[in-house]
Amino acid sequence: QVQLVESGGGLVQPGGSLRLSCAASGITFSNYVMSWYSQAPGKERELVASITRNGASTTYVDSVKGRSTISRDNAKSTVYLQMNSLKPEDTAVYYCNAVHFIRGRGDYWGQGTQVTVSS
């Protein structure tokens, strides 16, 4: 049974930081490209950041470039999203996504963790 369990969300003031974690089980973690998505109320889910299987390459949506860092620890089957200089517009539910490097072999989502940026 595949599980992706996010944690680390919460309420933070503008300018603050959060570190999201996503712990995977039931998969060979190193076979998966890992991503974080966000979904704000009334909006579509959008890609925030992705990291390749060995962590050598990362991509970010423009709105978080320079403020966020995605990383992974394959030994712990965990992916992280460090978010700094948070803004109210970062408020959303953040989801972890795992996609197998061979198309069609697996695409999994976590349940999401709420991030609220407000004073």
Side-chain angles (χ1 to χ4, degrees), residues 35-92:
S35 300
W36 287 96
Y37 285 74
S38 67
Q39 187 166 20
K43 295 188 177 182
E44 292 186 356
R45 192 173 298 187
E46 67 170 4
L47 178 66
V48 175
S50 291
I51 187 167
T52 53
R53 293 186 291 143
N54 63 0
S57 181
T58 58
T59 57
Y60 300 90
V61 67
D62 285 347
S63 60
V64 305
K65 281 182 181 176
R67 300 191 295 122
S68 296
T69 303
I70 187 172
S71 60
R72 65 190 295 162
D73 184 337
N74 284 351
K76 295 182 178 180
S77 296
T78 301
V79 62
Y80 306 96
L81 184 66
Q82 176 70 43
M83 300 191 295
N84 302 321
S85 302
L86 283 162
K87 305 174 181 180
E89 50 264 44
D90 294 319
T91 295

